[in-house]
Amino acid sequence: VIAVKKIKASDGATYVYVSAQAVRYWIRTNLELNQPAWQPAPVRREGKIAYTDSDPIEYWDDDLFGYMRAPSKKTDAAKDAGASPLQKDREITRVSPFRVSTFTSVSPVRVVDDFGTMTRQEGNPVPFEHQFYRAHLIGLVSLDLSAAGTFFDGERVGFKNLDSHRREKAKSNCGDPIILRKQNAFRLSLDRRVQRVATLVESLSYLQGGAKQTLHYTDLTPAITALAVTRHGNNPFYRILASAGGSTVFHREALQEVMSVYGDQLLSRVRSEEHTSELQSLRH
């Protein structure tokens, strides 16, 4: 059986989910296909190892989605793979400024087992079984604006963004280093950072992707979005949607409490959009 991913709650209810890795893949692919300005990093393969070019100055997804790359034992591996050179005996790592949560169904879900057949061949049909469901999914995204377009030159794991080759490239593109979070860093100009961030955020409004779309094609465009700039990395809006009798409803009291508790941490207005008439109860 091709099974969907699901979680059993303590009360026995089943909640389906889409992994964060899958959502990031949808977003990344959508950017490459539908945003002409987006600069995707090429992916290199060496046997069982795969990595991006790990050049955040040139490639936007290396900048916003992070990377990890270590020297290969093969002295000519990078040359053979066509990748940009990597300083010998120096790994480079970058914590992703863009973070995505698991997307989980708001209400419990009854998963359906569906049967199909392959019947285009001679003889008996070949049966197969798969599962599907209908649900509203809720999840969080977060983008570290301080780290976007900013490349750390430290020795902490996740902050070794540059080697000797990329450091020289950063100097020519960013100018003199700055001190950020008690570490040396190079930063692109504001215009270039804004362009990268705006392109990523804009792409969320027409998200597409998913498994079994051939048989269960559906719209993945976010029905409800809530966006704000905060001082910290916590996303306070997770509890503003709730389940009531199997339907998704807007939790007004939760939003009021969020605004009361986190109001002094908001650096912008809260922008909320409704993209479908299906959830009329969410209007506020």
Side-chain angles (χ1 to χ4, degrees):
V1 178
I2 302 174
V4 301
K5 295 181 178 181
K6 49 189 175 289
I7 303 170
K8 286 283 189 180
S10 57
D11 59 0
T14 298
Y15 294 82
V16 294
Y17 72 92
V18 174
S19 69
Q21 183 181 15
V23 177
R24 281 171 65 93
Y25 177 78
W26 299 347
I27 295 171
R28 206 173 209 150
T29 303
N30 194 35
L31 283 162
E32 294 180 17
L33 295 177
N34 298 306
Q35 290 285 12
W38 186 257
Q39 299 294 320
V43 177
R44 313 297 182 183
R45 181 70 183 262
E46 297 176 21
K48 296 181 180 180
I49 300 173
Y51 53 86
T52 68
D53 207 64
S54 306
D55 184 350
I57 298 96
E58 181 172 355
Y59 300 116
W60 296 13
D61 59 352
D62 275 342
D63 175 10
L64 300 182
F65 285 81
Y67 51 82
M68 179 178 67
R69 181 177 165 191
S72 173
K73 294 181 180 179
K74 298 180 180 179
T75 57
D76 58 346
K79 180 180 179 181
D80 292 342
S84 59
L86 185 65
Q87 180 181 332
K88 186 178 180 180
D89 301 326
R90 168 75 171 186
E91 77 280 3
I92 51 176
T93 59
R94 177 168 173 81
V95 174
S96 174
F98 183 62
R99 295 175 288 181
V100 179
S101 77
T102 299
F103 276 61
T104 308
S105 60
V106 178
S107 302
V109 172
R110 185 175 67 88
V111 177
V112 176
D113 291 306
D114 190 46
F115 294 88
T117 59
M118 170 59 175
T119 58
R120 290 184 293 159
Q121 80 288 349
E122 297 291 335
N124 295 327
V126 179
F128 64 90
E129 182 181 356
H130 67 275
Q131 298 179 338
F132 71 98
Y133 59 87
R134 184 182 186 277
H136 292 134
L137 305 179
I138 185 171
L140 306 176
V141 297
S142 174
L143 180 60
D144 185 347
L145 295 177
S146 295
T150 305
F151 318 118
F152 294 95
D153 192 20
E155 294 300 321
R156 289 174 53 191
V157 175
F159 294 88
K160 298 180 181 180
N161 298 169
L162 307 172
D163 65 348
S164 57
H165 305 288
R166 289 157 181 78
R167 186 179 299 111
E168 292 303 315
K169 193 169 185 176
K171 289 178 180 178
S172 62
N173 281 266
C174 305
D176 296 331
I178 63 173
I179 300 296
L180 181 66
R181 297 171 181 171
K182 299 181 180 180
Q183 297 185 78
N184 290 328
F186 293 89
R187 172 168 279 179
L188 295 174
S189 66
L190 179 60
D191 290 344
R192 295 176 69 178
R193 285 183 283 138
V194 167
Q195 185 182 20
R196 295 183 180 193
V197 168
T199 302
L200 172 58
V201 174
E202 181 185 2
S203 73
L204 301 178
S205 63
Y206 47 90
L207 185 66
Q208 58 181 316
K212 301 297 290 183
Q213 289 281 350
T214 304
L215 297 179
H216 299 293
Y217 174 66
T218 188
D219 181 16
L220 295 178
T221 304
I224 304 293
T225 59
L227 302 173
V229 181
T230 66
R231 296 182 186 275
H232 51 75
N234 291 327
N235 190 320
F237 301 115
Y238 190 74
R239 295 175 179 84
I240 66 174
L241 299 180
S243 175
S247 299
T248 302
V249 297
F250 170 60
H251 198 323
R252 185 182 302 275
E253 292 77 13
L255 178 61
Q256 292 173 343
E257 184 170 351
V258 164
M259 298 304 295
S260 173
V261 174
Y262 294 99
D264 62 341
Q265 298 297 311
L266 297 177
L267 302 179
S268 71
R269 294 184 178 182
V270 176
R271 181 174 179 85
S272 179
E273 295 286 347
E274 179 182 344
H275 302 290
T276 179
S277 59
E278 184 179 356
L279 301 176
Q280 293 294 331
S281 62
L282 295 172
R283 292 189 182 278
H284 63 282

